[in-house]
Amino acid sequence: MTIEILIGTGGLLLSVLTYFAGVQRTQKRLSKDERNSRIQEVLNKYMGFRRTNYTDGLDGLKKAGIATLTSDSEMRELIDLIVKHGEDSPLGGKAHLFNTVDLKAFFDYAVKNQIDFFSVKLEDIIIKARNEG
């Protein structure tokens, strides 16, 4: 009888563990899908700007909603996708300045302070974004 109880308990435990593993996997997949959806939405807006020659570069990223992305890695993935679509890097000729910059902090600062990238030196924005973050 004790063996039957052990087998029943083991089966129950295995079922519970399998359930929670499935929940965890589903949450991870949904999170990745949401991430990809956010990136794709900003990419589509940016590429629409490029097709109509409305804007590009940092201004285009800002207007496309890059600040809606949740992390530096999402923003860098977006920039890689833009380049893979045959466009120049939106970071332009000063892309090397962004190697050590947290893009999330940079664009959050730019949106919050309504920065006009055409009238302010990029280096000044980077310094101010670092100091605020």
Side-chain angles (χ1 to χ4, degrees), residues 25-126:
R25 184 174 178 209
T26 300
Q27 287 175 340
K28 193 174 186 179
R29 184 182 54 80
L30 289 175
S31 175
K32 183 176 174 121
D33 288 348
E34 289 171 359
R35 178 182 195 274
N36 290 339
S37 176
R38 281 191 304 272
I39 293 169
Q40 194 63 44
E41 185 176 331
V42 177
L43 175 67
N44 290 340
K45 286 180 185 176
Y46 183 87
M47 296 308 289
F49 292 156
R50 292 301 305 129
R51 279 190 293 280
T52 61
N53 287 323
Y54 175 66
T55 189
D56 66 353
L58 296 173
D59 182 61
L61 288 174
K62 186 175 124 188
K63 288 180 179 173
I66 193 169
T68 62
L69 302 180
T70 61
S71 68
D72 179 76
S73 67
E74 285 184 13
M75 293 179 176
R76 293 192 186 275
E77 184 175 332
L78 169 68
I79 291 166
D80 288 343
L81 287 171
I82 290 169
V83 171
K84 286 178 183 175
H85 275 81
E87 296 290 330
D88 292 333
S89 172
L91 301 179
K94 296 191 175 188
H96 64 281
L97 294 175
F98 290 96
N99 290 343
T100 59
V101 172
D102 178 4
L103 292 178
K104 179 63 178 162
F106 175 82
F107 281 104
D108 284 348
Y109 175 83
V111 169
K112 179 181 172 189
N113 295 289
Q114 299 178 351
I115 300 296
D116 178 7
F117 291 111
F118 299 112
S119 63
V120 181
K121 283 183 62 178
L122 187 58
E123 293 84 353
D124 293 341
I125 302 169
I126 291 171

